[in-house]
Amino acid sequence: MGRKLLLDKAHIENIRLYDVYRREGGYRSVEKALKSMSPDGVTDEVKKSGLRGRGGAGFPTGMKWSFLAKPEGVPRYLVVNADESEPGTFKDRYLMEFIPHLLIEGMIVSSYALGSNRSYIYIRGEYAWIVNILEQAIAEAKNNGWLGKNILGSGFDCEIYVQRGAGAYICGEETALLESLEGKRGNPRIKPPFPAVKGLWGCPTVVNNVESIAAVVPIINEGGEEYAKIGIGKSTGTKLISACGNINKPGVYEIDMTISVEEFLYSDEYCGGIANGKKLKACIPGGSSVPILPANLLLKTAKGETRMMTYESLADGGFATGSMMGSGGFIVLDETQCVVRHTYTLARFYRHESCGQCTPCREGTPWLENLLYKLEYGKGKMSDIDLLWNVQKNIEGNTICPLGDAAAWPVAAAIRHFRDEFEWHVNNPEECLKKNYGLAGYADPINVPV
Amino acid sequence: MNVEFSKEKLAEVKQIIERYPEGKQKSALLPVLHLAQHEFGGWLSEETMNYVASLLNITDIEVYEVATFYSMFNLKPVGKYLFEVCQTGPCMLNGSDDIINYVHEKLGIKPGETTEDGMFTLKTVECLGACGYAPMMQLGENYKEHLTKEKIDKIISESRANAK
Ligand SMILES: Cc1cc2nc3c(=O)[nH]c(=O)nc-3n(C[C@H](O)[C@H](O)[C@H](O)COP(=O)(O)O)c2cc1C
Ligand code: SF4
Ligand code: FES
């Protein structure tokens, strides 16, 4: 059994309620931080922990905090990103639903470190019932003196509010999120300036993922150095992985970053293997935006080393033969699944979610979707595969925000590793229409670099 | 429909505005639009949007800009029960296509359509953060997960019974 720091108590009955959470040792980190540490001292512990942002990019949280500008007389804000809309990702929902006080506790400590007297949780609009759970937890925390004015006599004031989004993946991008929180369309801003200098209402702001902020609680309780001892190399601590697709046990798992992908996928403690006795075909290990890997490259790197569930190992080989930890959305495809069809659904997703501000993304994402649609429904030509490659290439790196890359990468990786399957679609149009993909021949992973 | 919040709802609007610093009441736009959609028939008419603009002391166009951007705001009337079935990758891997076809068969409506009695609307949507509990749909403010044909039958008959 690996170490659990976030979900170790999530199964205790009524842990959602303040009294139970407190009895189980909740809010100790607030006591420790506010009574015995300075705000910079808290930031130092987070730095020492090596915690990397859990929202997808993996940027070191302590470093991000130390970039926060602190001009005299200007308010600063902490905004928690609970937009969670990357296909395959549902870990923050789990944390907020089952152990909401952990997020509130982490937010109080983090707000203290950053000097935020008003902190916000921006949550995707569809998670309506979780808004109620969070608001109840906030009210309980406030009634028990953990929020409000002069918390624990420290002189620090803090309020937490929940803001509900309204259905827009792009609002997970931090500057789009801030626009949305200001009551506008979720159009990403051009950076610089970065939120650390000019964020919410033009004030210095830190945006962090739910899981990153929750991790601050064990970091303060145990100390940054202790936290950093868990894991391998720069992948410290524990990580929540949401696993889905064709596996026996879909769900949210907390892993410490010392296990192999194979163990995660096949052991009964986690995914429990491929469903219905089928074979593994491919996997997107870090949410829909990151490259898909065929079975052989998922379990072993191109060098033949065991692939581990760490930031470095998942990325080993770059995009040619590796992928990314991303948001921890682990999507598994069995041998009967069609990679073209799956990629088509993702392209449709990104077209739907493009905010439309920049031409390569606004115009390119419908091209990706339409070409994949043609190929999937038996109307594609061989030249469409190359066109698809060119379109994704022309989006990547040419946009205001990374949604353009996020739309391009899955397509590139699908062609890179499964080009034969695209060609099969061109050569067998009738079979495509019958949804008879002739996949038996493709159950063994193919690796055709482009 | 009379587009005006009750006293209680107006108090709620006031509370929402207090979440933000002085002068930043425009930030209340999304929450107040959710409230308005809920109160005024499940969609946002021009009249409703103008009313929200007046409450927040912003221009009408600022409200239209936002209402048209976010997929949860309905700009046309929808059925009493809105079936929003997820069709993105992970749900597709677990049979969402079959679920969409089945709802179509049962209710005779395609995605985007409403039954003649105004009871049901079918909509396909993109990932709702429930990929591990696929296939799934959103119904009002709830998620219906691990969908099967039998579950769809049950949801339809329960909805009909509740509407009476
Ligand atoms: C299109 C897009 C969508 C994103 N969605 C999310 C999201 O849903 N949740 C999240 O925490 N970060 C998301 N991010 C990353 C955020 O921009 C930001 O990096 C993150 O919230 C920072 O938190 P962290 O450092 O704690 O990871 C998204 C980024 C992009 C480009
Ligand atoms: S890349 Fe796409 S989503 Fe991002 S700003 Fe440009 S158009 Fe909008
Ligand atoms: S893909 Fe359907 S909920 Fe995520």
Side-chain angles (χ1 to χ4, degrees):
Chain A
M1 276 281 263
R3 282 283 306 273
K4 288 191 178 30
L5 300 172
L6 303 177
L7 300 183
D8 53 338
K9 303 214 171 79
H11 300 287
I12 294 172
E13 199 181 347
N14 288 328
I15 193 76
R16 207 185 263 174
L17 302 177
Y18 171 80
D19 289 339
V20 178
Y21 182 77
R22 176 72 176 145
R23 192 182 67 219
E24 293 293 330
Y27 289 97
R28 270 187 303 137
S29 72
V30 180
E31 282 172 325
K32 183 170 176 185
L34 268 60
K35 288 186 173 163
S36 69
M37 297 168 78
S38 68
D40 287 345
V42 173
T43 302
D44 282 342
E45 288 306 315
V46 175
K47 271 191 190 156
K48 279 188 223 156
S49 75
L51 175 68
R52 294 167 66 173
R54 304 297 197 221
F59 191 83
T61 305
M63 202 192 292
K64 184 186 243 185
W65 288 11
S66 62
F67 291 155
L68 185 68
K70 297 184 174 153
E72 202 58 40
V74 179
R76 303 189 283 275
Y77 296 103
L78 168 67
V79 179
V80 168
N81 190 342
D83 194 57
E84 190 159 69
S85 313
E86 168 103 345
T89 317
F90 47 99
K91 66 185 178 72
D92 297 336
R93 161 189 172 181
Y94 189 93
L95 194 153
M96 294 185 286
E97 190 167 356
F98 291 102
I99 186 155
H101 280 286
L102 185 68
L103 174 62
I104 306 306
E105 179 176 354
M107 280 182 79
I108 299 168
V109 176
S110 307
S111 299
Y112 172 70
L114 299 166
S116 168
N117 303 118
R118 256 180 219 265
S119 301
Y120 296 89
I121 303 170
Y122 183 96
I123 185 167
R124 68 175 300 169
E126 293 89 348
Y127 286 174
W129 75 100
I130 301 179
V131 174
N132 298 335
I133 292 173
L134 290 171
E135 284 184 337
Q136 191 189 337
I138 292 167
E140 286 181 318
K142 189 157 178 174
N143 287 339
N144 287 282
W146 303 101
L147 284 169
K149 292 227 170 301
N150 191 18
I151 303 166
L152 305 180
S154 64
F156 174 63
D157 306 339
C158 187
E159 298 289 350
I160 294 177
Y161 302 101
V162 184
Q163 179 90 349
R164 199 177 151 203
Y169 166 67
I170 192 56
C171 291
E173 194 281 331
E174 57 185 9
T175 60
L177 185 156
L178 296 174
E179 287 286 298
S180 181
L181 187 44
E182 293 181 5
K184 302 181 204 152
R185 295 167 78 95
N187 287 343
R189 299 175 181 168
I190 292 174
K191 298 191 250 188
F194 289 91
V197 178
K198 259 181 166 230
L200 186 59
W201 303 303
C203 302
T205 302
V206 165
V207 181
N208 270 132
N209 176 256
V210 169
E211 188 189 342
S212 313
I213 293 298
V216 172
V217 173
I219 289 171
I220 294 306
N221 282 336
E222 308 205 3
E225 269 162 35
E226 282 303 306
Y227 184 91
K229 284 183 192 158
I230 306 168
I232 301 172
K234 284 188 183 159
S235 296
T236 62
T238 64
K239 173 85 190 87
L240 300 184
I241 307 286
S242 58
C244 65
N246 307 122
I247 48 175
N248 281 318
K249 290 172 60 200
V252 177
Y253 299 101
E254 181 170 7
I255 59 164
D256 64 17
M257 288 186 272
T258 58
I259 66 170
S260 67
V261 176
E262 187 165 351
E263 183 184 348
F264 181 69
L265 183 54
Y266 290 102
S267 87
D268 282 333
E269 201 185 330
Y270 304 107
C271 303
I274 311 299
N276 305 314
K278 300 254 163 47
K279 281 193 263 175
L280 167 69
K281 176 173 182 174
C283 173
I284 301 182
S288 62
S289 307
V290 311
I292 189 170
L293 289 176
N296 58 341
L297 285 175
L298 177 73
L299 304 180
K300 288 215 182 332
T301 65
K303 287 176 264 169
E305 287 164 1
T306 302
R307 196 168 311 262
M308 306 297 288
M309 293 288 284
T310 65
Y311 286 89
E312 290 75 18
S313 186
L314 286 171
D316 190 290
F319 279 6
T321 59
S323 185
M324 277 170 80
M325 172 70 89
S327 60
F330 195 86
I331 309 169
V332 179
L333 281 68
D334 74 27
E335 59 188 309
T336 65
Q337 299 294 349
C338 173
V339 166
V340 179
R341 183 168 190 76
H342 191 257
T343 311
Y344 158 64
T345 73
L346 300 184
R348 181 180 60 206
F349 171 85
Y350 290 106
R351 186 267 303 153
H352 184 260
E353 303 300 339
S354 166
C355 85
Q357 273 195 113
C358 19
T359 313
C361 174
R362 183 185 62 242
E363 304 298 325
T365 50
W367 271 90
L368 297 179
E369 182 191 0
N370 293 342
L371 286 167
L372 283 159
Y373 178 89
K374 269 174 80 181
L375 289 161
E376 167 60 11
Y377 286 93
K379 296 180 188 128
K381 300 192 290 268
M382 277 304 168
S383 58
D384 288 335
I385 304 173
D386 297 322
L387 185 56
L388 194 56
W389 181 266
N390 286 340
V391 174
Q392 68 79 21
K393 212 59 230 140
N394 284 314
I395 299 174
E396 189 195 10
N398 294 322
T399 56
I400 293 176
C401 92
L403 186 139
D405 300 342
W409 292 344
V411 175
I415 300 177
R416 187 181 295 121
H417 299 299
F418 294 93
R419 192 176 179 110
D420 288 19
E421 197 166 324
F422 283 82
E423 292 177 356
W424 184 88
H425 277 67
V426 175
N427 290 329
N428 297 276
E430 291 86 26
E431 298 300 305
C432 291
L433 289 178
K434 283 187 264 169
K435 289 202 180 181
N436 175 10
Y437 302 115
L439 291 164
Y442 297 92
D444 288 319
I446 315 149
N447 180 17
V448 188
V450 174
Chain B
M1 182 176 297
N2 184 20
V3 175
E4 215 164 294
F5 281 135
S6 64
K7 246 188 162 155
E8 293 77 48
K9 292 291 155 192
L10 279 176
E12 209 175 316
V13 170
K14 193 162 166 267
Q15 264 186 354
I16 294 172
I17 293 173
E18 280 166 6
R19 294 177 194 163
Y20 318 103
E22 189 92 26
K24 305 296 181 200
Q25 81 285 354
K26 184 173 172 178
S27 285
L29 185 49
L30 265 67
V32 175
L33 281 176
H34 275 302
L35 202 63
Q37 176 158 295
H38 190 262
E39 291 296 294
F40 307 126
W43 69 293
L44 298 172
S45 66
E46 198 177 324
E47 197 185 358
T48 302
M49 291 191 275
N50 296 351
Y51 174 63
V52 168
S54 70
L55 282 179
L56 296 180
N57 206 7
I58 57 180
T59 59
D60 296 349
I61 185 87
E62 287 176 281
V63 180
Y64 308 157
E65 270 180 0
V66 163
T68 53
F69 186 84
Y70 297 91
S71 63
M72 286 181 81
F73 296 132
N74 300 313
L75 302 173
K76 284 189 310 209
V78 291
K80 195 168 167 64
Y81 296 97
L82 178 57
F83 284 18
E84 302 185 86
V85 186
C86 173
Q87 59 173 354
T88 313
C91 277
M92 186 278 289
L93 295 176
N94 284 288
S96 62
D97 292 348
D98 295 340
I99 296 296
I100 294 163
N101 285 338
Y102 187 66
V103 175
H104 170 68
E105 235 171 72
K106 281 281 288 195
L107 297 176
I109 44 173
K110 288 202 213 87
E113 294 176 352
T114 301
T115 51
E116 269 174 25
D117 59 3
M119 191 76 85
F120 299 101
T121 299
L122 173 62
K123 196 170 157 187
T124 52
V125 296
E126 302 298 344
C127 182
L128 295 179
C131 328
Y133 322 107
M136 64 80 64
M137 70 174 187
Q138 188 183 351
L139 178 61
E141 304 219 311
N142 298 304
Y143 280 13
K144 303 283 178 188
E145 300 173 329
H146 297 298
L147 290 176
T148 56
K149 290 182 181 172
E150 294 72 37
K151 263 200 185 165
I152 295 283
D153 287 342
K154 201 160 153 249
I155 294 167
I156 291 174
S157 55
E158 278 174 5
S159 305
R160 285 215 168 98
N162 285 338
K164 285 210 179 106

